[in-house]
Amino acid sequence: MVSNQILQSTIDGLTSITQKELTVLEPEGDLLATTESSKAAREIVLPGDFEDGAVVDGHQLFSVSAGGDVEYILAVKGTDEASASVGRIAVFQLQGLMVAYKERYDKDNFVKNLLLDNLLLVDIYMRAKKLHIDNNVARVIYLIESDNDKDVNDSVIDIIRGIYPTKNRDFITAIDERNIILVKDVTADTSRIALEKTAMTISDMLSAEAMGRVRIALGSVVTDLKDISRSYKEAKIALEVGKIFYEDKGVINYNRLGIGRLIYQLPMSLCKMYIEEIFKDVKVEDFDEETLNTVSKFFENSLNISETSRQLYIHRNTLVYRLDKLQKNTGLDVRTFDDAIIFKIALMVAKYMDYMESNGFR
């Protein structure tokens, strides 16, 4: 269904050209858009049955249909032949608008079913041909998650369409109230940096429009329509892994998940076994925030004590004391590479377990 805003804009344009007042009603008589006063338009009473050109209350009526069903009733103020001609032109314009919207709706449905893997292989290519969607085109999935409500998500879709207005091989759809999908046309050899730059462009644009914080995950580049669902599943995994291990990142690439991807695929039983082996009687929640922040900064600085103490604004001996204390509690000296790796992985595993347990997976 064409939005009331688009209907209003269309008849405003037609009225400015023809100087004829136009009103669009639902078949039941409810007012949708008008260039007359609302009061005058609401006084138009539709007869139970009429032929195009029928005159009611000084207006000529015309039915606007698509696919055989009457979608709208157009009322043109005036009873002369000029008004009738304007009515026929307006009907033609509105029908073209409806066909375009219906095609976009059909494409949107097709893309959603494609993403969710709801189509048989033969149906994919047959429907794509009918909808004039090319098959052998390199595409990548961008999964955009917003914490905002649906009304804002609609605005997000409009903003993204504004960024890529001329691309007829890009598709934008909303999977649910929080997730928006951009199926982006790319070249098969598009670099990882270029793909992530596109995500950053979208993120910056949405931030500039005060849409709040969004996370953008992307899957692999695929060259066949049937593989789009795979790229979507990869983007979903990337988004999930990003929430667990890379909270500070706004853009997460499936092909750059690092060790987070490995940990995400571990069964909970193996994770518990690993944590018990590394920490024994010590619990991860027993580590105070100061210790965890110290170790995190120490890792960021490649185990460099001088640089870490400088960035934490503490004396070198204070840092050494904290690391000695950690070694006493865990048996791990994170100043050595091997123990630092073990401790880093253990913290990531513990974080993964907390996330899974908080979401009902045990």
Side-chain angles (χ1 to χ4, degrees), residues 315-330:
H315 194 276
R316 177 189 177 94
N317 290 343
T318 303
L319 176 59
V320 171
Y321 169 76
R322 291 179 184 176
L323 297 180
D324 284 342
K325 182 181 177 183
L326 181 66
Q327 182 180 7
K328 182 180 178 180
N329 291 334
T330 64

Side-chain angles (χ1 to χ4, degrees), residues 43 256 347:
E43 289 177 353
R256 294 188 67 199
L347 288 180

Side-chain angles (χ1 to χ4, degrees), residues 170-187:
D170 293 341
F171 305 100
I172 305 165
T173 188
I175 290 296
D176 54 43
E177 291 188 357
R178 295 188 63 195
N179 293 289
I180 295 166
I181 309 295
L182 168 63
V183 184
K184 183 78 179 68
D185 172 22
V186 296
T187 57

Side-chain angles (χ1 to χ4, degrees), residues 163-215:
I163 301 174
Y164 306 105
T166 60
K167 289 282 189 179
N168 57 9
R169 293 193 293 193
D170 293 341
F171 305 100
I172 305 165
T173 188
I175 290 296
D176 54 43
E177 291 188 357
R178 295 188 63 195
N179 293 289
I180 295 166
I181 309 295
L182 168 63
V183 184
K184 183 78 179 68
D185 172 22
V186 296
T187 57
D189 58 351
T190 301
S191 68
R192 170 186 60 76
I193 294 174
L195 293 172
E196 292 178 3
K197 187 176 180 181
T198 296
M200 288 303 302
T201 299
I202 297 171
S203 179
D204 292 344
M205 185 68 73
L206 294 177
S207 297
E209 295 290 336
M211 291 299 168
R213 175 175 168 78
V214 296
R215 289 187 181 89

